[in-house]
């Protein structure tokens, strides 16, 4: 359980383990807080290898604010990045945790997601890289792959 009292659904761990096993069934997972803000659940998982599909799902995420109005929403995501090394020594994979919290999201969703992040991260064993993203540029492929590969991607 997190500082916010939010629990992690068992499905979150099961789908992550599918991704981690690397059988090609899951390329990315997007997690969200349930509508009552009591549990982290899987919003989407996909084997789509097109990064822009993943990015658009984050950009279009919605959450309810304090007054019940809907606006841009934070999300947690895990993406299995694969890249070629500049040195020509082959490919590498890095399972990356992304905490997406757009600057224009409501205060309640941002605060609840921030205080729930560690509960999810502790449940997902095998994350190689963690990134915080707050605007569109933070989740551009080139920006992320540079961080994930520490500059070694071709």
């Amino acid at each position: 359980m997190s500082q916010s009292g939010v629990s992690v659904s068992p499905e979150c761990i099961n789908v992550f383990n599918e991704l981690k096993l690397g059988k090609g069934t899951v390329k990315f997972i997007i997690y969200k807080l349930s509508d009552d803000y009591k549990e982290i659940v899987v919003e989407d998982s996909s084997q789509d290898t097109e990064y822009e599909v993943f990015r658009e799902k984050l950009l279009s995420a919605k959450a309810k604010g304090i007054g019940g109005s809907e606006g841009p929403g934070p999300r947690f995501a895990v993406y299995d990045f694969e890249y070629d090394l500049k040195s020509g020594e082959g490919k590498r994979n890095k399972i990356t945790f992304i905490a997406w919290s757009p600057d224009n999201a409501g205060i309640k969703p941002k605060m609840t997601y921030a205080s729930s992040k560690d509960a999810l991260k502790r449940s997902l064993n095998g994350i190689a890289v963690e990134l915080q993203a707050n605007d569109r540029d933070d989740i551009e492929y080139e920006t992320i792959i540079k961080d994930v590969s520490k500059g070694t991607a071709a």
Side-chain angles (χ1 to χ4, degrees), residues 57-105:
K57 287 180 185 278
L58 289 181
L59 290 172
S60 64
K62 301 287 182 210
K64 284 196 164 77
I66 294 172
S69 62
E70 202 171 77
R75 291 294 185 271
F76 304 120
V78 173
Y79 195 95
D80 185 7
F81 281 95
E82 182 177 301
Y83 57 93
D84 293 311
L85 294 171
K86 282 184 202 174
S87 62
E89 295 176 14
K91 293 185 178 297
R92 294 289 186 270
N93 282 68
K94 293 272 175 91
I95 296 175
T96 304
F97 181 90
I98 301 168
W100 168 243
S101 186
D103 289 330
N104 58 345

Side-chain angles (χ1 to χ4, degrees), residues 19 24-29 44-49 53 57:
L19 179 143
T25 55
V26 180
K27 179 70 173 173
F28 68 80
I29 309 161
D44 194 8
S45 66
S46 177
Q47 56 187 333
D48 195 326
T49 58
V53 170
K57 287 180 185 278

